Every structure is written in structure tokens, then in C-alpha cells.
Amino acid sequence: MGGSESSKGVVLGRLVECIKDISGLPECQNFCRRVYGNLVRRVKLLSPLFEELKDSDESLSDEQLESFESLLVALDSAKTLLKAVNQGSKLYQALRRNDTADKFQKVTEKIEAVLSEIPYYKLEISEEVREQIELVHAQFKRAKAQTEFADIQLDMDMAMAQKEKDPDPALLKRLSEKLHLRTINDLRKESSELHELLITSGGELGDSFEMITSLLSKLRDCVLKENPKVDASECDKLTVKHRSPVIPDDFRCPISLELMKDPVIVSTGQTYERSCIQKWLDAGHKTCPKTQQTLVHTALTPNYVLKSLIALWCESNGIELPKKQGSCRTKKCCGSSNSDCDRTAISALLDKLASNNIEQQRAAAGELRLLAKRNADNRVCIAEAGAIPPLVDLLSSSDPRTQEHAVTALLNLSINESNKGTIVNAGAIPDIVDVLKSGSMEARENAAATLFSLSVLDENRVQIGAAGAIPALIKLLCEGTPRGKKDAATAIFNLSIYQGNKARAVKAGIVGPLIQFLKDAGGGMVDEALAILAILASHHEGRVAIGHAGPIPILVEVIRTGSPRNRENAATVLWSLCTGDPLLLKLAKEHGAETALQELSENGTDRAKRKAGSILELLQRMKEDDNLRNS
């Protein structure tokens, strides 16, 4: 039985539209150019088939319609891939070109497989169209993305550019041409794309981040020296820079790669330009962009030593150090026309917060939430305008959306260190804990993140723990979204620095879920689980609870195969458990801990080496005691 005319029209219309979209995609401007162009050209050649079928009166069988629907799915996948490879960081794409080649190969094979199932001989199409489709099908069959992607020179150049401190200028020139990073504008755009990638990836770039920033820095220096293919106006802009010496890598922000004007240190010891790292933190990230380590706190400490060195370098090289933009620190500043924040607008929003109209309260809280997220000046101005107490009041709102806006606005305001005290003094902690217990999922997640932010201050950890936050955080840890689980974990970790909260966490049943996270490596919570276990293991009740949860096999496995930080934390937990407990020590030995610890004592972090050495001494002592008993 044939398919309906309406089904035929819809499917063929969508195929024609999809092919039209692919045919109209812009030319590829990176190393994918060849395979990208080949795929677009082959898909474009399919168009006459569907145009002819669309205009014909012939009905299509259910089998034919099903084949065309499958082809539509395959072409949609091709369109998504083509769009993805022609945007974003070109250097990141180049580093991942093998993955991209695999994706092109899968899409090509998918289209070829569907084309194989279409019975062209049953379709009422012209001989000319039939021959063209058979030709295209043959091209898809022969196409090998890996071969089309093969570029030995690019592979060698990328490897050498990463390996060598001062690569051959000819090599860098080839890379800039191949990747279409020929001008300063190209490199500025690439830097911006990299920055955006870093923000959207949540810091999950791993080693790629340092590789890309290093390559981008080398390409930038090369382009400044060679200055190829820039117009006269751009040459004028680059005249000073062209004569300027190369900026030392230590003076560049790892995020923007620009000379730092206001360097600050984060809790991992890495230094960034204040505005860049602040944007990273404002986006809700809690990791160091360069090392991917969790930030213990979000305080930014001015790096005065580096700032002085940069100033001396600029002076000795005749370069004017860029001036810091004035920041909003006083009420007078907030009222000025040059300020980034608008006191009049903020005042109007406060009036709406104080109204009894739920709609107005919701809208005002939402606007303050966005303003507080935008920049540091706004956070100061909003707090100085007196917005924190009414926002705390709205934490008890019966309207879920208003409650979400209020707790998120407080989260964003708490990024400013002085605002943390104002929030706590306004009596916010019990209300934030109530939101954590009974708010919407988004509100609960942001409440957890707020408690993490406030717990940076030692005195707040006691108060947050006493307010009953820990059981609610553990509940979110178990049932939240991936982001919510991480927010809960970081808050629990920070709170557990206070000894009394360790006992609260253990009594609330945190150990079981943490061990489960270790067993479920694909769940993405191993890092957080081990960090919390390591801190709980320093407490007597924590050690007992962890020991009863049967953690030895998984701890030994992490020591054997985990990341450097996880191996360190696993060794810390194992050392705490085995010290004074010969049964657990014997169990660790039975699970092959000795070999794993021997390797860790040679190749682990300094702390991991110490812990591994201590456990190996315990194992040696146990072995000697056994020999004495048996002699």
C-alpha cells in the first residue's frame, strides 16, 4: 500500500529544504575545508532526485517513505556536523581532528547505507537523474573521511609547535595559513572563541587548554612579526605592537592571553587577569580554568609582586601599562554617569521588591539576579542600595519563581566578599536552608551554591551546619541534577572543614552515597566523593563509618588507575583507615594495595608519596609481626 500524498509531500519537502540548507552553508575556513566541501557537494547533487519526485504525481510506498525519512535523519546529522566544525576555536578543532574525522566518516557511512536501501529502479525518475544519483551513491561509498582528513604536514607542524619553545617561523606560517589564522583580527576572534569555549565547557578542556593557549601565543607573536595580509588601517593599528618585544608568557592572562593589568591569585595559586577570572566565576564555575582543580574559595588576592614586575617590564620596554577601569566602590561612584551600574534603576527595583504585588516582586528579583551576575560593580551598588534584606525576605515567598530569583540573586551578590557578611547578618542562612530543603530543583541547587559561597568564611561554617543544612545537602547530593550534585558536594566539602560538621555529615548518612559515587565512575562524581571522604576520614566517627562501608577494593583500584589528585585522596583515606586497624590493613594487602602503593610512592604527588610510604611501612611492620609469630 502506498503512503499518503500528504506524507509524501512533507517528507520530500523537508528533504529539499535540508539539502538547500546544507548547500547554502558558508565556505569552511579551517583544516576541515576539503572534507567539508566534499560532503556539501555530494549532498547538493541529491537535490534533483527530490525536486523531481516532489513535482511528480507518483505515490510512494511505505517502504520508500521510510527510506527517505531515514535519509532525512542522516542529512540532519550531516548539517549539524557541518555547522559545528565551521565555528568555534580553530585550534581546538585542529587538536581534535581525529575525532572530527570519525564523525565525518560515521555521517558518510550513514548516508551511504540509506542510499543503498532506496530502490531507484522503482522510482519514476528521468534517466539523467537516476545516473546522477547512482554516481553520488558511488562517491559516498568510496569516500573515506580519514583519507580526506589526512595531512601529515599539519600533524607534524602541530606536534612541533607544541613541543618547541621557539618553533621555526616557517612552520608557524604554514599553521596560520592552514588554520586561516592569518591576521591579528583572526587571532583576536580565535582568542574570543577560546574564551567562550572555556566558559561553556565548564573547565572540562583538560590538557587541551594549555596546548591551545601556548599555540595561540606563538601564532600571535609570529603574525606580529610577519604581519601578513592585513590592510593599511590594520597595519597602522599594529605599528606599535610590531616594534614591541614579545610579552613574557608569565605576564599574559591564561584565559585572554593579553598582558595583565590587574593580576589576581585564586585559591589554587594560579594568576589571572581580574576581569577574566571574574567572568569565569560569574558564570557559576567553581574550578580553576588552568588546573581544573576545585576552588576552595572564590576570593581573589591581588598579585602585587607580579603587577610590579609587569610595570617594570613595561617601563623598560617603553610600553604604557593599560590602566585599570575604575570600579564602583562608593555611592558617589554609583551615581555617576560613567558607572556601570544605574542607582536610579536599582532604586526602582527595590521599590518593586517592597510592593505586595507578586508579579512585580518576581520581575524585580529576576532583574537584580541578572544585574548581580553581570559584573563586580553591580554587586557593590546593589548591596549598598540596601537590596539584600528584602531579597532575604523573598526567600520565604510562596511563589517558586520569585524564590528562585531571590536565592540566585543572593548567590551572585555573595561573590563579593563584603556582601557575604551582609547576607549572613540579614538572617539569610536559615531561610537559604529552607529553600534547600523544599524549593524547586533550580532553587535548591542555587541555595547549595550560596551556602558554599558563604562557607568560605570560617565563622559561617558553624552557623550553616547548626541550621540543618547538611542533611538537605546530602539529599540534593543523592537526587539532584549533575550540576546540583556538584554544588552540594562542594558545599559539604567546605562545611566539613569545621570538625563539628564532620560528625553531622556522618550521622546524616553521607558515607554510603559517597562510596556509591566511587563505584559509579561514569557518574562524574568520583573527584568530589574522594575529596569529601579524605576530609571525613580525619574524624573518628568518619573513619568508623567509612570502614564499615567496605571501601578497600575501590580505594585500591583508584590508587592503581585514578588521576593524580584522586590517587592522593584515596591514599589519604586508606592511610586513615589502616592506621590502628590491622584487619583493614590485611584486607588492603589482599586486594593488591602493596604494588599499587609502591608505584604511587614513586610517581604520585608529594602528599600521595608520603601517605603511600606510611601505609607501606604499616604493611612491612605487619609482615614482620607475622614472621615473628610464625617463627
Side-chain angles (χ1 to χ4, degrees):
M1 181 181 287
S4 70
E5 285 301 312
S6 61
S7 298
K8 169 192 169 185
V10 170
V11 173
L12 293 178
R14 289 175 63 195
L15 278 166
V16 169
E17 195 62 34
C18 185
I19 293 170
K20 186 178 177 183
D21 289 345
I22 290 173
S23 302
L25 289 173
E27 185 181 356
C28 186
Q29 295 293 329
N30 60 35
F31 70 96
C32 297
R33 187 172 185 168
R34 181 183 171 194
V35 69
Y36 177 102
N38 285 343
L39 182 54
V40 169
R41 177 178 53 77
R42 289 168 188 145
V43 169
K44 194 174 181 179
L45 290 171
L46 294 172
S47 183
L49 169 65
F50 302 111
E51 291 283 3
E52 195 164 296
L53 286 173
K54 190 180 176 186
D55 294 337
S56 76
D57 296 329
E58 180 194 8
S59 61
L60 298 176
S61 68
D62 290 341
E63 180 186 3
Q64 289 168 334
L65 277 175
E66 191 175 324
S67 294
F68 289 149
E69 285 170 353
S70 297
L71 181 60
L72 181 61
V73 172
L75 291 178
D76 276 334
S77 298
K79 183 168 71 171
T80 301
L81 176 60
L82 288 166
K83 284 182 176 180
V85 299
N86 204 19
Q87 58 190 19
S89 166
K90 294 177 181 180
L91 285 167
Y92 183 69
Q93 294 272 16
L95 284 174
R96 296 177 59 83
R97 59 195 179 283
N98 289 334
D99 291 340
T100 305
D102 289 341
K103 289 176 183 176
F104 269 98
Q105 187 63 39
K106 286 175 183 175
V107 161
T108 299
E109 289 172 355
K110 196 173 179 181
I111 294 173
E112 190 279 323
V114 177
L115 290 175
S116 298
E117 296 172 0
I118 298 174
Y120 306 111
Y121 62 91
K122 291 184 179 179
L123 298 173
E124 290 187 11
I125 53 177
S126 65
E127 192 64 31
E128 182 183 350
V129 169
R130 190 189 313 279
E131 287 177 0
Q132 180 168 315
I133 297 305
E134 288 174 350
L135 176 64
V136 175
H137 183 197
Q139 289 178 358
F140 272 109
K141 206 167 188 176
R142 290 195 303 269
K144 297 292 180 186
Q146 291 287 2
T147 303
E148 293 178 343
F149 259 95
D151 190 331
I152 296 173
Q153 187 68 63
L154 177 62
D155 291 340
M156 291 173 61
D157 287 349
M158 289 286 287
M160 293 301 290
Q162 291 172 52
K163 183 179 179 182
E164 295 183 0
K165 187 175 181 182
D166 296 306
D168 183 350
L171 178 155
L172 293 173
K173 181 77 182 300
R174 284 196 302 271
L175 275 180
S176 72
E177 289 291 332
K178 179 71 71 175
L179 300 177
H180 291 257
L181 296 173
R182 303 183 180 106
T183 69
I184 287 299
N185 281 339
D186 291 338
L187 291 167
R188 282 183 186 136
K189 185 179 178 184
E190 175 68 13
S191 180
S192 176
E193 293 286 5
L194 175 58
H195 195 183
E196 189 63 30
L197 174 66
L198 188 61
I199 296 294
T200 56
S201 72
E204 302 292 329
L205 294 182
D207 294 337
S208 298
F209 176 69
E210 288 197 51
M211 289 183 196
I212 297 170
T213 53
S214 174
L215 281 170
L216 186 55
S217 178
K218 292 168 184 175
L219 285 171
R220 174 176 295 181
D221 293 338
C222 174
V223 170
L224 281 173
K225 290 173 184 175
E226 296 294 326
N227 204 13
K229 298 189 180 180
V230 293
D231 58 34
S233 61
E234 197 167 345
C235 281
D236 290 340
K237 292 177 192 173
L238 294 175
T239 302
V240 176
K241 289 188 178 181
H242 181 69
R243 291 198 301 267
S244 299
V246 176
I247 301 171
D249 287 342
D250 289 342
F251 293 175
R252 297 181 190 268
C253 171
I255 296 174
S256 70
L257 301 181
E258 300 286 354
L259 179 68
M260 287 186 278
K261 58 190 179 227
D262 188 13
V264 292
I265 306 168
V266 297
S267 65
T268 58
Q270 297 295 326
T271 296
Y272 299 91
E273 172 61 34
R274 183 186 291 275
S275 61
C276 294
I277 191 63
Q278 191 65 63
K279 182 178 179 183
W280 169 262
L281 295 172
D282 288 351
H285 300 300
K286 301 179 183 68
T287 55
C288 172
K290 191 169 183 179
T291 67
Q292 280 78 57
Q293 289 176 275
T294 299
L295 295 172
V296 178
H297 58 75
T298 55
L300 303 177
T301 306
N303 191 334
Y304 294 117
V305 174
L306 183 60
K307 189 172 183 179
S308 297
L309 289 173
I310 292 173
L312 287 170
W313 180 82
C314 287
E315 185 179 345
S316 64
N317 286 282
I319 296 172
E320 183 179 355
L321 182 66
K323 291 182 173 60
K324 273 202 307 179
Q325 292 180 342
S327 62
C328 176
R329 290 286 175 259
T330 65
K331 293 185 179 182
K332 183 179 178 182
C333 165
C334 288
S336 73
S337 60
N338 294 327
S339 171
D340 285 338
C341 62
D342 187 335
R343 175 164 288 278
T344 305
I346 291 172
S347 179
L349 291 172
L350 291 187
D351 289 340
K352 290 182 180 179
L353 284 187
S355 74
N356 292 321
N357 185 305
I358 291 178
E359 298 287 337
Q360 287 192 359
Q361 288 180 335
R362 185 191 306 128
E367 189 65 28
L368 287 169
R369 166 185 181 172
L370 294 174
L371 285 172
K373 181 177 181 179
R374 194 163 296 154
N375 58 50
D377 290 343
N378 285 351
R379 288 188 277 278
V380 174
C381 294
I382 291 168
E384 289 181 344
I388 288 176
L391 283 171
V392 170
D393 290 340
L394 287 181
L395 292 174
S396 304
S397 172
S398 58
D399 178 59
R401 195 62 182 154
T402 302
Q403 190 181 66
E404 282 176 22
H405 288 327
V407 74
T408 311
L410 290 170
L411 166 62
N412 295 335
L413 289 169
S414 72
I415 294 170
N416 178 284
E417 291 303 303
S418 62
N419 287 348
K420 295 185 197 306
T422 308
I423 292 169
V424 172
N425 292 337
I429 287 177
D431 291 329
I432 295 171
V433 172
D434 285 342
V435 174
L436 179 65
K437 290 177 178 176
S438 57
S440 67
M441 184 55 74
E442 182 182 345
R444 290 171 64 196
E445 290 174 354
N446 289 337
T450 308
L451 292 176
F452 165 76
S453 178
L454 296 177
S455 67
V456 169
L457 303 179
D458 292 342
E459 60 270 26
N460 292 342
R461 293 180 188 133
V462 181
Q463 193 174 340
I464 293 169
I470 290 175
L473 286 168
I474 294 172
K475 188 177 181 186
L476 180 62
L477 184 70
C478 295
E479 63 187 31
T481 65
R483 196 203 91 187
K485 288 179 178 180
K486 287 186 182 292
D487 285 334
T490 51
I492 292 168
F493 176 86
N494 239 22
L495 291 172
S496 296
I497 293 172
Y498 169 59
Q499 195 75 355
N501 286 336
K502 291 184 176 73
R504 288 190 174 104
V506 172
K507 287 175 183 174
I510 193 172
V511 172
L514 294 179
I515 297 297
Q516 192 56 46
F517 285 145
L518 293 189
K519 293 176 179 177
D520 179 21
M525 291 295 293
V526 173
D527 296 8
E528 290 81 359
L530 278 167
I532 297 171
L533 285 169
I535 206 167
L536 292 179
S538 65
H539 188 276
H540 172 70
E541 291 179 28
R543 282 194 298 278
V544 172
I546 295 168
H548 287 160
I552 301 298
I554 189 65
L555 288 174
V556 173
E557 182 61 26
V558 172
I559 291 170
R560 187 181 293 117
T561 63
S563 67
R565 182 65 61 191
N566 286 347
R567 296 175 77 197
E568 175 187 309
N569 282 329
T572 300
V573 177
L574 188 64
W575 174 79
S576 295
L577 294 175
C578 292
T579 303
D581 193 327
L583 291 178
L584 289 179
L585 184 63
K586 184 179 179 183
L587 188 60
K589 181 178 173 62
E590 290 171 358
H591 281 88
E594 195 164 5
T595 304
L597 289 165
Q598 191 64 51
E599 197 276 332
L600 183 63
S601 69
E602 296 170 2
N603 300 310
T605 64
D606 289 344
R607 183 166 177 247
K609 288 177 180 177
R610 291 196 301 272
K611 295 299 181 184
S614 297
I615 303 171
L616 288 169
E617 286 178 12
L618 292 174
L619 288 168
Q620 181 61 32
R621 208 172 303 151
M622 182 177 71
K623 185 177 180 181
E624 291 170 356
D625 290 345
D626 288 344
N627 290 338
L628 282 173
R629 280 194 293 271
N630 295 330
S631 60

